[in-house]
Amino acid sequence: MLRFPGHGHPRPDDIVIGPLDLAAHVDEALAVQAKAFGLGPDEVAVRRQIVLRHMSLPGARAFGATVTGRLVGFVYGMPNHRAHWWSTVVEPPLRARGHDDWLDGSFVITELHVHPRHQKHGIGRSLITTITDGADEPRSILSAIDIESPARHLYRSLGYEDLARRVHFPSALKPYAVMGAPLPLRRVGPEGPEGP
């Protein structure tokens, strides 16, 4: 468990990062994702089934960030496998750029979301470094909307680099970038130890 900013002395506003039984807390997590990502009820219902299916896959794990026991952020991921749907979509653009080897030996960050009221406090950084610290794979891969955003800035500060851009997922309106980083992730970003 990681507790901050109370420096080991519990306070009511402490943020606690620890393992999360995502299947048991899927509705809480999707409420955070809906706020952070602007999802409607129909999208949440579809993602609920996806999350539950993902969490049944070998090696899938999740971490959550809580404040006074309430979930305010979460991350989940798993060892990547070329047969996964996500891999089948990103493989052609990665191959076109000579990066399809990243689909092997990588831990994929499937989702990372922090409630808007709790963003810009290092929660996302702590979640992603915590989950990747436990990975057996030598590198990590993820996708993010292909715009200059706080999320992309965070990923770059951790060592992720663009492997492919303008990747289109079925039913997604905006293109995505696929990013990869060697593990362990960088602890100090360009802005100092906390980064963005």
Side-chain angles (χ1 to χ4, degrees):
M1 294 274 212
L2 175 66
R3 183 181 299 272
F4 65 100
H7 306 290
H9 299 91
R11 298 184 336 200
D13 62 345
D14 274 356
I15 298 161
V16 178
I17 307 262
L20 174 67
D21 180 349
L22 188 53
H25 297 277
V26 66
D27 294 321
E28 292 170 75
L30 288 174
V32 169
Q33 185 176 359
K35 281 284 190 196
F37 216 58
L39 301 179
D42 292 342
E43 292 169 298
V44 168
V46 169
R47 288 178 187 245
R48 186 178 199 281
Q49 297 308 312
I50 292 169
V51 169
L52 293 174
R53 181 170 32 87
H54 282 164
M55 293 313 296
S56 70
L57 295 173
R61 59 187 189 280
F63 285 83
T66 58
V67 175
T68 59
R70 189 172 51 86
L71 191 68
V72 298
F74 75 100
V75 63
Y76 83 92
M78 65 198 81
N80 194 55
H81 191 286
R82 284 183 182 256
H84 293 163
W85 174 85
W86 182 85
S87 290
T88 65
V89 175
V90 303
E91 190 269 337
L94 286 174
R95 185 175 3 96
R97 288 159 187 83
H99 295 302
D100 67 312
D101 60 319
W102 276 82
L103 294 173
D104 303 311
S106 289
F107 186 83
V108 64
I109 301 299
T110 309
E111 298 287 352
L112 170 63
H113 299 286
V114 177
H115 192 285
R117 269 190 307 231
H118 297 277
Q119 292 176 1
K120 301 187 193 261
H121 298 290
I123 297 172
R125 176 178 293 276
S126 293
L127 284 167
I128 195 169
T129 57
T130 300
I131 197 168
T132 57
D133 280 351
D136 293 329
E137 295 74 21
R139 54 195 178 178
S140 175
I141 192 169
L142 56 79
S143 56
I145 295 175
D146 195 2
I147 58 171
E148 290 311 308
S149 65
R152 296 254 290 145
H153 186 74
L154 168 64
Y155 300 144
R156 280 195 202 97
S157 76
L158 292 164
Y160 286 90
E161 295 181 1
D162 291 340
L163 302 174
R165 299 202 53 198
R166 308 219 34 90
V167 176
H168 294 274
F169 289 97
S171 77
L173 299 176
K174 297 177 182 175
Y176 278 70
V178 178
M179 304 178 78
L183 295 179
L185 296 175
R186 260 191 234 147
R187 288 304 193 254
V188 179
E191 299 80 20
E194 288 304 309

